[in-house]
């Protein structure tokens, strides 16, 4: 599997053709204004929480965060108290961090190891690592308590190689079906558990709606201005090729300038051979609906950006930095730190400019967003959000017309 040679050529040709384009594409519709209320309205934020984040597959952790049996990680990205835990069978599962007796939290620290069992600190109800209730004190005080029906509440959890996803919707289709062509293109991920290492993680609170940082990852129009002393020195912003994919996902290649040697920028051993030379041609990335950006810096370094709503106008920005080189050696650590520092500068330049946009939205001085052709991935995200919510459930004043279906590449 992986990207075919023909598709690789098509992706590169799309970016090259964009660099030569001088007029608006005649076959593409003018994008309607996107209502500003979608970025601050509390009722709309609740619709997103209930219909988007509660029903989508969400990337939440890297397997290296819980490598040993009994390791756990608390997830703070969602309103529900959820933990990941590695079982005796080496599988990673997700459970509500809630004792089935009286609701006490089973673990309090952000991550750690519970040993062979989970024991509630309140009344010592005890659970196996796969969530079964295995014991509780003074059993004679409970009449006919059915242990099988009092196991921990399990959340759907699937792994894509080292990447761990959860979904709060018990009826959701499998992760592979949700990923669709993204999973096919990036099939190397499935074989990378233990080979693609988590080398660093960035977490930053930002005073903006969750979509604003996502939007910044979906377009390159700002590169020559926000990143004029950083990324613009290596990227040819006009050479931005975009493909809209099923299920709200998308793909983007921003070409390097002709003088840039992509391999020299990221000297990490290759673990994504099925991508060919695409990651060396420029910044190559995918958006996975709703909030995940997978960005390649060569074929041996990839970073995964997620942004999580904490309120209508606030969010938490997460980056998982992953490398083919483990950082147990000082030389590898120094190389990773150097590259991550340069890339972080670019990411933080985006975050620094976004609060001004949020203030304008909150104040009503920006009533709507006017998007251009190179920002169509943002509009496509809004379309997908409305489809996930249910078009008729979105207030009429906040809806976006569904226009881009015919431009999606199957």
């Amino acid at each position: 599997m992986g990207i075919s040679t023909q598709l690789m050529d098509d992706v590169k040709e799309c970016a090259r053709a964009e660099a030569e384009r001088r007029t608006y594409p005649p076959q593409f519709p003018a994008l309607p204004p996107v209502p500003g209320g979608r970025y601050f309205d509390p009722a709309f934020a609740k619709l997103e929480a209930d219909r988007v984040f509660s029903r989508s597959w969400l990337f939440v952790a890297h397997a290296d965060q819980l490598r040993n049996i009994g390791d756990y990680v608390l997830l703070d990205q969602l309103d529900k108290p959820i933990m990941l835990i590695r079982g005796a069978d080496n599988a990673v599962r997700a459970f509500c961090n809630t004792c089935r007796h009286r609701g006490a939290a089973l673990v309090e620290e952000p991550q750690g190891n519970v040993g062979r069992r989970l024991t509630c600190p309140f009344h010592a109800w005890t659970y196996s690592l796969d969530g079964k209730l295995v014991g509780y004190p003074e059993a004679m005080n409970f009449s006919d308590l059915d242990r099988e029906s009092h196991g921990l509440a399990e959340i759907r959890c699937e792994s894509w190689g080292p990447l761990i996803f959860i979904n709060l919707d018990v009826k959701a289709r499998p992760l592979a079906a949700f990923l669709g062509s993204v999973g096919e293109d990036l099939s190397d991920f499935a074989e990378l558990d233990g080979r693609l290492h988590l080398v660093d993680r960035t977490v930053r609170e930002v005073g903006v709606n969750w979509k604003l940082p996502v939007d910044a990852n979906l377009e390159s129009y700002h590169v020559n201005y926000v990143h004029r002393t950083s990324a613009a020195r290596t990227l040819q912003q006009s050479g931005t090729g975009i493909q809209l994919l099923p299920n709200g996902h998308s793909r983007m290649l921003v070409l390097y300038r002709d003088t840039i040697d992509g391999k020299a920028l990221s000297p990490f051993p290759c673990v994504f051979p099925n991508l060919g030379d695409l990651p060396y041609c420029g910044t190559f990335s995918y958006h996975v609906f709703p909030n995940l950006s997978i960005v390649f810096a060569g074929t041996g370094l990839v970073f995964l950006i997620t942004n999580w709503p904490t309120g209508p106008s606030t969010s938490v920005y997460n980056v998982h930095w992953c490398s083919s080189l483990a950082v147990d050696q000082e030389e590898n650590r120094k190389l990773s730190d150097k590259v991550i520092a340069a890339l972080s500068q670019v990411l933080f330049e985006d975050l620094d400019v976004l609060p001004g946009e949020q203030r304008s939205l909150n104040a009503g001085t920006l009533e709507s967003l006017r998007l251009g052709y190179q920002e169509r991935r943002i509009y496509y995200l809004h379309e997908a959000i409305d489809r996930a919510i249910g078009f008729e459930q979105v207030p009429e004043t906040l809806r976006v017309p569904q226009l881009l279906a015919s431009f999606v590449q199957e």
Side-chain angles (χ1 to χ4, degrees):
M1 208 175 286
I3 299 182
S4 67
T5 301
Q6 182 60 57
L7 181 54
M8 290 183 199
D9 291 342
D10 290 346
V11 169
K12 287 182 277 190
E13 178 55 33
C14 177
R16 288 192 289 262
E18 276 299 295
E20 300 297 323
R21 183 174 58 83
R22 295 294 179 267
T23 60
Y24 194 87
Q27 78 284 3
F28 197 83
L31 296 174
V34 174
R38 297 172 68 93
Y39 289 84
F40 64 84
D41 182 82
F44 188 77
K46 188 175 188 310
L47 285 173
E48 289 179 326
D50 293 344
R51 304 295 182 90
V52 177
F53 284 91
S54 292
R55 298 182 180 181
S56 300
W57 282 104
L58 305 169
F59 167 67
V60 291
H62 186 286
D64 283 354
Q65 293 175 256
L66 59 166
R67 182 55 65 189
N68 301 310
I69 291 172
D71 281 356
Y72 73 88
V73 173
L74 287 183
L75 303 180
D76 56 7
Q77 296 98 322
L78 299 167
D79 288 339
K80 286 191 175 183
I82 298 172
M83 62 177 169
L84 303 176
I85 191 163
R86 189 175 291 274
D89 57 358
N90 211 37
V92 175
R93 298 177 177 85
F95 299 103
C96 290
N97 183 27
T98 303
C99 180
R100 294 298 303 280
H101 174 215
R102 284 169 56 187
L106 297 169
V107 291
E108 294 284 357
E109 295 299 318
Q111 63 185 94
N113 186 286
V114 298
R116 294 184 300 168
R117 292 182 174 180
L118 282 157
T119 301
C120 178
F122 200 1
H123 299 96
W125 281 38
T126 304
Y127 303 86
S128 62
L129 298 182
D130 59 359
K132 294 182 175 64
L133 176 63
V134 294
Y136 48 95
E138 302 181 27
M140 70 285 192
N141 289 322
F142 294 86
S143 175
D144 298 326
L145 180 68
D146 181 7
R147 291 191 185 190
E148 290 189 7
S149 63
H150 283 79
L152 298 179
E154 189 164 3
I155 307 295
R156 289 190 64 183
C157 180
E158 293 191 31
S159 294
W160 181 26
L163 310 184
I164 301 170
F165 290 73
I166 65 167
N167 194 319
L168 301 182
D169 182 3
V170 297
K171 298 180 180 179
R173 55 188 160 173
L175 174 61
F178 171 74
L179 291 172
S181 55
V182 176
E184 295 170 4
D185 288 1
L186 306 182
S187 59
D188 290 316
F189 265 119
E191 306 300 325
L192 290 181
D193 191 13
R195 296 174 52 216
L196 183 67
H197 310 283
L198 180 66
V199 296
D200 206 348
R201 186 164 173 241
T202 300
V203 180
R204 179 169 165 175
E205 294 184 0
V206 285
V208 301
N209 179 272
W210 71 273
K211 292 186 291 297
L212 289 187
V214 174
D215 291 352
N217 294 326
L218 293 178
E219 51 91 2
S220 66
Y221 183 36
H222 68 284
V223 165
N224 288 344
Y225 316 106
V226 175
H227 307 306
R228 60 187 176 276
T229 62
S230 55
R233 293 180 174 178
T234 60
L235 295 176
Q236 180 186 359
Q237 181 273 325
S238 61
T240 298
I242 288 171
Q243 295 84 44
L244 306 181
L245 305 174
N247 302 333
H249 313 323
S250 58
R251 181 196 301 123
M252 182 168 72
L253 172 65
V254 188
L255 293 175
Y256 286 135
R257 296 182 182 274
D258 292 340
T259 56
I260 299 300
D261 179 358
K263 289 188 177 181
L265 291 178
S266 184
F268 295 86
C270 174
V271 289
F272 290 95
N274 288 328
L275 294 183
D277 67 345
L278 278 172
Y280 296 122
C281 294
T283 295
F284 184 56
S285 65
Y286 285 78
H287 176 249
V288 176
F289 181 82
N291 69 331
L292 169 62
S293 288
I294 304 173
V295 188
F296 291 90
T299 58
L301 183 75
V302 60
F303 51 104
L304 302 108
I305 308 171
T306 51
N307 203 48
W308 301 90
T310 55
S313 301
T314 58
S315 53
V316 175
Y317 188 82
N318 281 254
V319 189
H320 287 74
W321 302 94
C322 305
S323 167
S324 58
L325 292 175
V327 291
D328 51 358
Q329 298 180 19
E330 183 65 18
E331 184 178 352
N332 292 348
R333 165 56 72 183
K334 288 181 177 179
L335 175 60
S336 294
D337 287 349
K338 179 181 178 181
V339 175
I340 290 171
L343 294 169
S344 294
Q345 177 187 344
V346 178
L347 299 183
F348 293 160
E349 286 170 351
D350 284 341
L351 298 186
D352 289 343
V353 78
L354 296 177
E357 183 180 0
Q358 188 66 55
R359 286 193 294 272
S360 295
L361 288 161
N362 292 348
T365 55
L366 179 66
E367 295 182 355
S368 60
L369 284 67
R370 300 306 301 259
L371 302 177
Y373 178 69
Q374 282 287 23
E375 297 164 302
R376 63 194 182 278
R377 292 173 87 200
I378 299 175
Y379 193 88
Y380 186 53
L381 170 62
H382 283 280
E383 285 192 0
I385 289 170
D386 281 7
R387 289 194 298 272
I389 292 172
F391 192 69
E392 296 301 322
Q393 302 300 317
V394 179
E396 189 172 354
T397 56
L398 295 180
R399 293 176 193 165
V400 295
Q402 302 282 312
L403 301 177
L404 300 184
S406 63
F407 298 93
V408 176
Q409 296 186 3
E410 296 294 336

